[in-house]
């Protein structure tokens, strides 16, 4: 529009609706991305609007693209060394989108239910998504221990999947996968590798550089980081997969809103600082727990006894993540009392916040699994998962000490 609409002869009701809106964008660039709430965009003429539709360039309608969401997508694409990224309303929407895109044959627009090989150790809802949603649509789903290199190679060769899905680092037992080796196995059978990197974050590892095809984040966790925003992001290694994600997101509509996008973009600015601090505090927590008589077993990739410790040392540049899981010596009976006695760790069903958190996977994240499925995955009733926050590590250790001391 060459000049602002708003004729002085308009009646009050009309001016109330239009006055002040649609000023030209300021010539000076704001230092931080504004929150663009507009659902649609204006062009100077119908011819230019038509051209925007024809080329797909420029903003038209918020589900097709929004400048605030695009800023977040650019930040994640940069963090993951991706060709592009697409943001969604939650981590589960992002996982759904990643699996659909990965199952879309090259050159086609719709996904085909195919063969999905998934890691046995997955976020609880992800297992349910595969079993209830993808299987019902005709996909064949198999599970294997993808943190065991021999088992991973055998399962990929035998099952000949179209899509392989794993979590780096796995939840809640914090196992580590060899992404580069699995990506090579995937290439040899033409499978696409999807890595849920919510827990590792790009601070520890960038899976696309190791040959993964798509990286998924529940942005609700470390990317946003402040326990106040839900979202998800998928980053793609190739332009083709990015284009598939964009097309399917427009159609399925699980896109992220601009307010959430701004909060997550803001969170990402301190991601490295938070994660470094959280990892170093988690290492102290793990060492403390490993030496405590009330603790039977600690799961933490930074401890020498962890089954993939050597791989984690080589892969993560000296950090091992900010989650620590452990089993109380007294088992499930002592879990409630221990968690109730904690004063600083919050008993909330999430992870990755700047607050320290405690959860009981059998009660929370893995509740929807059957007792058999939990047993198969090594998730005992006495398993406790800590998500270490940015507080002073001394205060965290003191809180654990008092809660464990009295739980005996
Ligand atoms: C939380 C989480 C999800 C799901 O994300 P939402 O934002 O809750 O939908 C998926 N994967 C992992 C590893 C998670 O921790």
């Amino acid at each position: 529009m060459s000049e602002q609409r708003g004729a002085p002869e308009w009646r009050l009701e009309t001016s109330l609706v239009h006055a002040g809106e649609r000023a030209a964008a300021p010539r000076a660039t704001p230092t931080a991305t504004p929150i663009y709430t507009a659902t649609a965009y204006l062009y100077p003429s119908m011819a230019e609007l038509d051209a925007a539709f024809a080329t797909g360039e420029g903003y038209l309608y918020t589900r097709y693209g929004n400048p605030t969401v695009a800023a977040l997508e650019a930040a994640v694409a940069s963090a993951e060394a991706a060709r592009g990224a697409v943001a969604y309303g939650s981590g589960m929407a992002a996982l759904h989108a990643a699996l659909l895109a990965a199952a879309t044959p090259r050159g086609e627009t719709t996904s085909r239910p195919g063969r999905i090989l998934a890691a046995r150790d997955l976020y609880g809802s992800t297992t349910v998504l595969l079993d209830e949603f993808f299987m019902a649509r005709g996909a064949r789903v198999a599970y294997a221990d993808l943190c065991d290199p021999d088992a991973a190679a055998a399962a990929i060769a035998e099952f000949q999947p179209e899509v392989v899905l794993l979590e780096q680092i796995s939840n809640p037992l914090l196992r580590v996968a060899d992404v580069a080796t699995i990506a090579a196995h995937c290439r040899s059978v033409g499978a696409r590798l999807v890595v849920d990197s919510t827990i590792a974050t790009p601070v520890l590892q960038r899976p696309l550089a190791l040959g993964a095809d798509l990286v998924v984040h529940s942005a609700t966790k470390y990317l946003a980081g402040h326990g106040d925003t839900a979202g998800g992001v998928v980053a793609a290694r190739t332009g083709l997969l990015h284009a598939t994600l964009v097309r399917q997101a427009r159609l399925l509509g699980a896109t992220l809103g601009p307010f959430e996008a701004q909060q997550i973009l803001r969170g990402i600015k301190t991601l490295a600082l938070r994660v470094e601090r959280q990892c170093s505090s988690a290492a102290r927590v793990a060492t403390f727990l490993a030496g405590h008589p009330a603790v039977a077993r600690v799961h933490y990739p930074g401890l020498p006894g962890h089954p993939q410790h050597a791989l984690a040392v080589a892969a993560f540049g000296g950090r091992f993540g900010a989650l620590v899981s452990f089993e109380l010596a007294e088992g499930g009976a002592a879990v409630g009392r221990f968690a109730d006695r904690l004063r600083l760790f919050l008993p909330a069903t999430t992870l990755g916040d700047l607050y320290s958190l405690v959860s009981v996977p059998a009660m929370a994240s893995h509740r929807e699994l059957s007792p058999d499925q939990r047993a198969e995955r090594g998730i005992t009733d006495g398993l406790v998962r800590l998500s270490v926050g940015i507080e002073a590590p001394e205060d965290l250790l003191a809180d654990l000490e008092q809660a464990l001391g009295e739980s005996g």
Side-chain angles (χ1 to χ4, degrees):
M1 219 140 313
S2 49
E3 70 188 47
Q4 207 187 327
R5 290 187 185 184
E9 69 273 17
W10 280 347
R11 287 170 178 75
L12 176 66
E13 296 93 314
T14 308
S15 335
L16 287 176
V17 172
H18 289 281
E21 289 286 7
R22 287 158 233 131
R27 259 180 56 78
T29 307
T31 55
T33 304
I35 301 174
Y36 286 87
T37 56
T39 50
Y41 294 82
L42 302 172
Y43 286 80
S45 66
M46 288 308 280
E48 284 174 69
L49 177 62
D50 186 50
F53 272 113
T55 60
E57 280 161 24
Y59 295 103
L60 288 160
Y61 180 64
T62 195
R63 175 161 47 76
Y64 297 179
N66 172 290
T68 314
V69 177
L72 167 63
E73 292 168 339
V76 174
S78 156
E80 290 292 359
R83 274 295 295 277
V86 178
Y88 300 86
S90 70
M92 290 311 298
L95 266 166
H96 174 231
L99 291 168
L100 285 185
T104 302
R106 289 163 181 80
E108 295 184 24
T109 52
T110 20
S111 81
R112 288 229 202 92
R115 290 182 302 279
I116 304 173
L117 176 68
R120 195 199 50 190
D121 296 338
L122 288 176
Y123 183 70
S125 297
T126 306
T127 304
V128 180
L129 175 71
L130 291 168
D131 288 353
E132 285 186 10
F133 182 82
F134 279 94
M135 280 204 203
R137 294 180 71 248
R140 283 182 55 206
V141 178
Y143 295 96
D145 181 357
L146 298 184
C147 294
D148 172 340
D150 297 334
I156 291 168
E158 193 182 315
F159 191 60
Q160 296 278 314
E162 274 116 34
V163 180
V164 174
L165 170 67
L166 63 84
E167 279 176 20
Q168 187 74 301
I169 301 163
S170 83
N171 185 9
L173 293 180
L174 312 182
R175 301 172 77 237
V176 180
D178 184 344
V179 172
T181 304
I182 291 177
H185 291 311
C186 287
R187 264 197 305 283
S188 72
V189 300
R192 282 173 170 147
L193 176 59
V194 180
V195 176
D196 180 340
S197 207
T198 298
I199 293 173
T201 80
V203 179
L204 268 64
Q205 188 172 57
R206 301 163 117 193
L208 301 182
L210 301 174
D213 295 286
L214 295 170
V215 169
V216 181
H217 287 282
S218 166
T220 317
K221 313 294 171 52
Y222 290 98
L223 300 191
H226 291 66
D228 56 8
T229 312
V233 191
V234 183
R237 187 167 54 79
T238 65
L240 174 68
L241 272 171
H242 179 239
T244 304
L245 287 168
V246 168
R247 198 161 43 234
Q248 292 178 347
R250 285 181 180 192
L251 201 55
L252 298 174
T255 49
L256 188 69
F259 291 98
E260 285 79 5
Q262 191 274 337
Q263 297 251 76
I264 298 166
L265 180 61
R266 184 189 230 251
I268 284 176
K269 296 176 194 312
T270 56
L271 178 70
L273 298 174
R274 285 185 281 110
V275 170
E276 293 285 355
R277 167 62 172 249
Q278 288 171 276
C279 288
S280 80
S281 295
R284 289 180 64 175
V285 164
T287 305
F288 165 79
L289 291 172
H292 199 286
V295 174
R297 192 162 168 211
V298 181
H299 305 270
Y300 184 66
L303 293 177
H306 184 278
Q308 295 93 31
H309 177 64
L311 172 63
V313 169
F316 298 153
R319 283 81 38 112
F320 300 99
L323 301 187
V324 181
S325 296
F326 65 100
E327 282 158 49
L328 286 170
E330 282 185 77
V335 161
R337 199 173 36 192
F338 164 74
D340 283 344
R341 286 191 196 276
L342 287 167
R343 294 185 199 126
L344 193 46
F345 285 83
L346 307 174
T349 309
T350 185
L351 60 89
D353 289 0
L354 35 70
Y355 312 113
S356 287
L357 308 161
V358 58
S359 85
V360 179
M363 185 200 294
S365 58
H366 292 69
R367 189 188 190 102
E368 289 179 75
L369 268 56
S370 69
D372 279 353
Q373 282 178 312
R374 281 200 295 271
E376 215 183 313
R377 287 160 175 77
I379 301 168
T380 62
D381 290 348
L383 185 72
V384 177
R385 187 191 74 199
L386 302 177
S387 171
V388 176
I390 65 166
E391 303 94 336
E394 295 78 7
D395 290 335
L396 297 175
L397 295 178
D399 194 32
L400 292 168
E401 172 98 77
Q402 61 83 19
L404 283 171
E406 295 172 40
S407 78

